[in-house]
Amino acid sequence: MRRRSENKRDHAGLGTRGVWAGEEGNYWERATQIPVALSVSFGYDDVNEWLKVAQGKTHGHIYSRNTNPTVAAFEEKVRNLETAEAATSFSSGMGAISNTLFALLSPGDGVVSIKDTYGGTNKLFIEFLPRFGIKVSLCDTSDHQAIETAIGQGCKAVYLESPTNPTVKVVDLARLAAVAHRHGAVVIVDNTLATPINQQPVKLGADLVIHSATKFLGGHADALGGVVCGGADLVGRIYHFREITGACLDPMAAYLLLRGMKTLHLRIARQNESALKIARFLESHPHVIRVFYPGLESHEQHEIARRQMRGFGGVLSFAIRGGFDAVKSFLPRLRYAHLAANLGAVETVAGPPSTTSHVESTKEERAASGIPEALIRYSVGIEDTEDLIADLRHALGKVRLAKRRARS
Ligand SMILES: *Cc1c(COP(=O)(O)O)cnc(C)c1O
């Protein structure tokens, strides 16, 4: 677990902090890059010194399930960008989410959330937490009044995600955090889709901010990881739980995520810009029924998104004419997209929710979440925008040809 040490670099711009935060150590043989500390344990010549480290009185590491220098550098970088007091990391985003919920909730406690959380998170809410006697109320994501009413009925935690995946809905974080705090609940926000470059939930009132670092933070689709940032007391409790459950981040993955994060601000700037252009292109295309992107004026919560986000992110989704058959014909025609279950990478990634974010859900559960079967989630990479638009135009044109042939 990483706590804030007052640092002049805390006040630089987000780009500068993305590059430098967590990197001020004194490394092995004066290496300028953070070494990958592939060491399970850390040795001491002096038992008194070892004891001081074990008791947290002196900086140091004992055993890598608890802390590790490479992992600590990654935690510090995220902590700094999210302007939080402390951060701790996990083997994956779901590791972060499940450890946080199980560390903070006990039988009889209630948690209020929304229907559109990430598919794995939704499974925790409907399948696992209730088994431990935790009351879960899942509200319609767009109905702020309903969420406020559920919070008012009493709960220990309010769990939010914004924008959501795959229909990129937006919830008013400042408004719901204020209501939650009036009722003494802890506010947890999954900030994976926005990243701290576009949105800093701590500044909007969140107590805890969670990331699947696997996505935009790492950005290169080569390492899994998760992180939770927030106040030192809460993060300390979650860290203690994780020490024991053992869902720790691997040092090699931490290194890859750290390296990816140095270009986070550049990637996000490009992805924000491209996604908006692509969303506008798709909105004007006759084969597209509907486009979901918070940057579009047609988006239901566009005004909230404008208030709480600096950019609208790299993920959009759209429904095309022709149902799931059209989706199956369209996707393989894309030249510049991996058809895969991931998002936030430098390469464009596309897929239907039934095989990606909501692979764990049934067709009925997806329909209940308002996810059309002909929906395509499109995570914009850092390729040239014109190439991506040409690629989409070409693939959409071919779908029409395939349909015509089938009819004749
Ligand atoms: C992918 C994702 C997760 C889960 O992260 P993993 O690293 O795959 O465990 C959680 N929340 C959101 C919004 C995600 O996109």
Side-chain angles (χ1 to χ4, degrees):
M1 177 181 145
R2 197 58 200 202
R3 278 167 207 258
R4 169 162 50 208
S5 47
E6 199 40 60
N7 191 319
K8 59 180 182 292
R9 283 178 184 151
D10 273 3
H11 306 293
L14 280 172
T16 308
R17 283 149 57 192
V19 173
W20 285 101
E23 311 245 349
E24 47 273 307
N26 209 344
Y27 308 131
W28 194 26
E29 303 277 5
R30 298 181 180 272
T32 61
Q33 300 305 307
I34 292 177
V36 186
L38 289 174
S39 185
V40 167
S41 57
F42 301 84
Y44 292 87
D45 297 330
D46 180 307
V47 175
N48 283 329
E49 193 197 340
W50 187 2
L51 210 58
K52 275 192 210 147
V53 174
Q55 292 164 345
K57 288 179 185 157
T58 314
H59 171 77
H61 304 277
I62 305 268
Y63 189 67
S64 284
R65 170 153 50 73
N66 309 105
T67 66
N68 169 283
T70 314
V71 171
F74 164 73
E75 291 169 344
E76 171 58 16
K77 213 185 262 306
V78 185
R79 182 208 68 70
N80 181 303
L81 292 184
E82 287 290 7
T83 67
E85 211 171 53
T88 191
S89 60
F90 301 83
S91 50
S92 69
M94 282 315 301
I97 296 165
S98 57
N99 276 264
T100 298
L101 291 169
F102 280 108
L104 301 182
L105 298 169
S106 301
D109 287 344
V111 56
V112 171
S113 189
I114 51 177
K115 287 193 177 137
D116 289 275
T117 50
Y118 175 73
T121 309
N122 189 256
K123 273 282 156 192
L124 279 177
F125 286 139
I126 62 181
E127 187 175 336
F128 294 102
L129 290 174
R131 264 176 44 199
F132 294 88
I134 293 155
K135 281 184 298 179
V136 179
S137 54
L138 299 184
C139 306
D140 182 339
T141 307
S142 320
D143 190 346
H144 284 70
Q145 193 56 55
I147 304 171
E148 290 184 355
T149 305
I151 296 169
Q153 283 158 0
C155 61
K156 192 78 169 273
V158 176
Y159 185 99
L160 303 170
E161 191 178 314
S162 186
T164 64
N165 176 2
T167 48
V168 275
K169 290 182 188 162
V170 168
V171 294
D172 190 332
L173 297 176
R175 172 177 164 181
L176 295 175
V179 175
H181 289 154
R182 273 206 297 283
H183 290 89
V186 172
V187 178
I188 308 164
V189 176
D190 182 335
N191 201 31
T192 300
L193 258 69
T195 81
I197 305 298
N198 284 332
Q199 170 175 284
Q200 288 163 307
V202 166
K203 293 191 173 162
L204 300 165
D207 299 298
L208 291 167
V209 180
I210 296 189
H211 280 277
S212 166
T214 315
K215 313 291 173 53
F216 287 101
L217 294 189
H220 292 70
D222 53 7
L224 288 159
V227 62
V228 176
C229 339
D233 282 356
L234 283 172
V235 172
R237 281 168 60 194
I238 300 162
Y239 162 71
H240 176 59
F241 191 76
R242 193 269 280 150
E243 281 188 293
I244 305 307
T245 59
C248 52
L249 183 62
D250 176 76
M252 190 63 213
Y255 171 77
L256 291 168
L257 298 171
L258 265 171
R259 184 157 92 151
M261 281 188 70
K262 293 188 191 193
T263 55
L264 180 66
H265 62 300
L266 298 178
R267 288 186 279 110
I268 297 298
R270 166 61 78 93
Q271 286 163 318
N272 284 342
E273 196 185 310
S274 287
L276 186 57
K277 284 188 189 152
I278 290 168
R280 291 204 198 288
F281 160 74
L282 290 169
E283 207 171 34
S284 71
H285 198 284
H287 292 183
V288 175
I289 302 170
R290 187 146 179 218
V291 185
F292 300 91
Y293 186 64
L296 292 175
E297 290 75 10
S298 61
H299 187 278
E300 224 185 319
Q301 297 97 19
H302 178 61
E303 282 311 312
I304 302 171
R306 281 179 52 148
R307 262 204 315 278
Q308 71 188 16
M309 302 179 82
R310 279 183 288 263
F312 302 108
V315 178
L316 56 95
S317 61
F318 55 102
I320 61 174
R321 296 193 194 283
F324 198 59
D325 283 344
V327 172
K328 283 192 280 193
S329 150
F330 167 79
L331 283 174
R333 295 177 200 273
L334 291 172
R335 285 176 66 191
Y336 300 122
H338 284 304
L339 307 188
N342 191 21
L343 60 87
V346 290
E347 301 96 359
T348 293
V349 186
S354 49
T355 57
T356 57
S357 61
H358 285 66
V359 66
E360 291 96 348
S361 314
T362 63
K363 197 173 170 178
E364 291 70 33
E365 283 167 347
R366 283 194 296 274
S369 305
I371 299 169
E373 280 302 295
L375 193 73
I376 291 154
R377 185 182 72 193
Y378 192 83
S379 170
V380 181
I382 60 167
E383 301 92 340
D384 291 304
T385 319
E386 302 70 40
D387 291 331
L388 296 179
I389 290 178
D391 195 27
L392 286 160
R393 182 184 287 123
H394 174 259
L396 285 166
K398 290 287 185 197
V399 171
R400 183 178 56 169
L401 274 181
K403 263 186 77 186
R404 272 205 191 140
R405 260 193 224 117
R407 250 191 260 130
S408 58

